[in-house]
């Protein structure tokens, strides 16, 4: 009897999104421009490998501005910060470079605008997540957190006709819509954000995993445990029909028993994961007979974001300085 055919369904899109690419590049360019060390408040993106790599280049990761020596350069992470963090940086005379993802900045602008119009803002997200802390900080008196469908019953608003929901950008699309549906049964006049808050990359990665999951005995998602969008991908795979799902930072974390009896393995990665880590997973699987890889594509991503303006301005100044020196 012949061996059952072993194969890998490789999800695309996967890995780096435009916001992560911009944030990582911001730290790399800042190190080139200003020299090491460059301080980074919080993990620039939620990925262990990326953080370790940048540390090797001279980045120093800190939790708060107080840990950054006065007058030094500090980069704010892709997840965004509250206005008070910018104020603290000014007080310490820090050169702040804001690498907040523009899609997170969009949610911040929405929060400010609705707060200015005196709305109650229901922010759907995970308590304690950096992005939620940053967005809440834009209008703390107006924002209350709704952490999933089960938190809906605790919501209290001043005026049911002036309520809007916003969301963290990295949530499960399905769970968020379930939360919104529950909110609308209690608050029929609840308004939606002017455009979708869950970012295109989160939605796209969840969509392709949902497509391949029913055929998979196991889905392996490359990503870190503190990465909200990576954790959601495992949840999406399981709810869409995968028999098992696991999150790993590296191929070496894959356990042999996960593959026992499996013929189809799905592979994807969170939005803060470099693709070479996925290639290592494919090599690991190939060594165990899963050599046939079919890439399953549901969307093409072409979006890019320019680097933060503070950094671009200094890069331009350095270039023009070098040019004038060459002319002398």
């Amino acid at each position: 009897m012949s061996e059952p055919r072993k194969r890998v369904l490789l999800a695309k899109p996967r890995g780096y999104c435009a916001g992560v690419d911009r944030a990582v590049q911001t730290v790399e360019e800042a190190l080139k421009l200003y020299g090491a060390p460059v301080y980074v408040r919080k993990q620039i993106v939620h990925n262990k490998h990326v953080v370790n790599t940048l540390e090797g280049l001279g980045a120093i990761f800190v939790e708060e501005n107080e840990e950054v020596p006065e007058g030094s350069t500090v980069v704010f992470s892709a997840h965004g910060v509250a206005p008070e963090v910018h104020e603290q940086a000014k007080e310490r005379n820090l050169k702040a470079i804001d690498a907040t993802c523009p899609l997170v900045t969009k949610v911040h602008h929405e929060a400010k605008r609705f707060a200015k119009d005196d709305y109650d803002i229901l922010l759907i997200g995970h308590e304690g997540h950096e992005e939620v802390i940053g967005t809440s900080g834009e209008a703390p008196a107006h924002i209350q957190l709704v952490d999933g469908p089960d938190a809906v019953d605790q919501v209290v608003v001043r005026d049911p006709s002036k309520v809007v929901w916003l969301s963290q950008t990295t949530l499960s699309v399905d769970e968020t819509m379930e939360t919104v549906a529950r909110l609308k049964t209690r608050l029929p006049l609840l308004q939606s954000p002017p455009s979708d808050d869950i970012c295109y990359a989160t939605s796209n990665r969840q969509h392709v995993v949902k497509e391949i999951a029913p055929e998979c005995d196991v889905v392996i998602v490359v990503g870190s445990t503190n990465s909200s969008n990576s954790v959601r991908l495992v949840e999406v795979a399981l709810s869409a029909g995968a028999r098992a799902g696991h999150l790993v930072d590296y191929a070496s974390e894959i356990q042999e028993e996960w593959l026992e009896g499996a013929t189809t393995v799905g592979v994807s990665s969170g939005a803060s994961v470099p693709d070479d880590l996925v290639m290592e997973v494919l090599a690991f699987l190939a060594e165990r007979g899963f050599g046939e890889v079919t890439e399953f594509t549901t969307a093409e991503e072409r979006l890019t974001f320019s680097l933060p303006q503070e950094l671009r301005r200094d890069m331009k100044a350095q270039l023009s300085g070098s040019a004038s020196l060459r002319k002398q």
Side-chain angles (χ1 to χ4, degrees):
M1 217 171 101
S2 64
E3 280 276 305
R5 175 170 146 246
K6 290 182 173 181
R7 62 182 183 144
V8 174
L9 297 182
L10 178 61
K12 185 182 176 185
R14 63 179 180 275
Y16 269 17
C17 61
V20 164
D21 198 31
R22 172 185 188 262
V24 173
Q25 210 185 327
T26 295
V27 178
E28 291 170 344
E29 293 297 336
L31 284 162
K32 284 184 212 164
L33 189 61
Y34 310 120
V38 164
Y39 293 83
V40 184
R41 184 185 177 277
K42 308 286 186 188
Q43 290 191 359
I44 186 69
V45 295
H46 286 158
N47 184 264
K48 196 190 285 185
H49 177 77
V50 170
V51 168
N52 291 344
T53 303
L54 292 172
E55 279 179 334
L57 296 174
I60 296 176
F61 290 86
V62 298
E63 283 301 302
E64 298 299 342
N65 286 336
E66 293 83 76
E67 299 168 62
V68 181
E70 291 208 12
S72 301
T73 299
V74 64
V75 179
F76 296 147
S77 82
H79 309 104
V81 297
E84 65 191 42
V85 176
H86 288 279
E87 290 305 316
Q88 291 162 357
K90 276 184 197 153
E91 285 163 17
R92 293 184 63 75
N93 192 29
L94 303 179
K95 181 180 186 59
I97 297 168
D98 191 354
T100 301
C101 172
L103 299 178
V104 175
T105 302
K106 175 184 83 75
V107 181
H108 283 218
H109 289 324
E110 288 169 357
K112 284 189 279 194
R113 185 159 68 79
F114 283 110
K116 188 165 171 273
D117 292 339
D118 202 30
Y119 274 73
D120 277 346
I121 300 164
L122 306 180
L123 178 61
I124 301 171
H126 296 302
E127 190 164 4
H129 191 279
E130 282 156 48
E131 187 186 322
V132 163
I133 293 167
T135 302
S136 300
E138 294 288 358
H142 289 264
I143 292 177
Q144 57 184 300
L145 182 64
V146 183
D147 194 343
D150 295 338
V152 168
D153 293 340
Q154 282 82 60
V155 170
V156 179
V157 299
R158 293 168 301 155
D159 178 354
S161 68
K162 286 195 81 170
V163 191
V164 65
W165 70 270
L166 303 177
S167 84
Q168 184 181 327
T169 61
T170 54
L171 299 180
S172 154
V173 177
D174 291 343
E175 188 181 309
T176 302
M177 295 330 290
E178 186 192 334
T179 305
V180 171
R182 282 215 210 172
L183 283 167
K184 283 189 171 169
T185 60
R186 288 197 57 209
L187 300 161
L189 299 176
L190 178 70
Q191 291 189 36
S192 299
S195 60
D196 200 351
D197 282 351
I198 293 178
C199 91
Y200 76 95
T202 299
S203 303
N204 287 347
R205 279 150 193 68
Q206 288 177 18
H207 179 63
V208 65
V209 164
K210 206 183 279 189
E211 292 288 314
I212 65 172
E215 294 184 53
C216 296
D217 298 300
V218 60
V219 171
I220 293 169
V221 175
V222 186
S224 294
T225 52
N226 65 336
S227 163
S228 175
N229 77 87
S230 301
V231 172
R232 299 292 84 74
L233 285 176
V234 178
E235 293 172 357
V236 166
L238 292 169
S239 64
R243 261 68 82 206
H246 301 281
L247 184 66
V248 298
D249 267 299
Y250 300 101
S252 57
E253 294 172 13
I254 298 171
Q255 295 178 26
E256 300 288 349
E257 58 262 32
W258 297 349
L259 305 175
E260 282 173 18
T263 55
T264 303
V265 177
V267 175
S268 185
S269 59
S272 45
V273 177
D275 213 42
D276 53 348
L277 298 184
V278 177
M279 295 305 121
E280 287 170 16
V281 166
L282 295 182
F284 178 99
L285 292 170
E287 284 167 12
R288 284 147 185 85
F290 293 88
E292 183 190 321
V293 178
T294 304
E295 193 166 57
F296 197 98
T297 306
T298 55
E300 293 291 340
E301 294 180 349
R302 295 190 176 86
L303 185 66
T304 56
F305 295 130
S306 55
L307 291 170
Q309 58 181 14
E310 312 93 341
L311 186 60
R312 277 183 288 136
R313 191 177 55 234
D314 287 356
M315 289 167 81
K316 196 174 169 185
Q318 189 194 50
L319 276 173
S320 59
S322 306
S324 61
L325 277 172
R326 280 198 299 273
K327 281 176 192 167
Q328 287 172 14

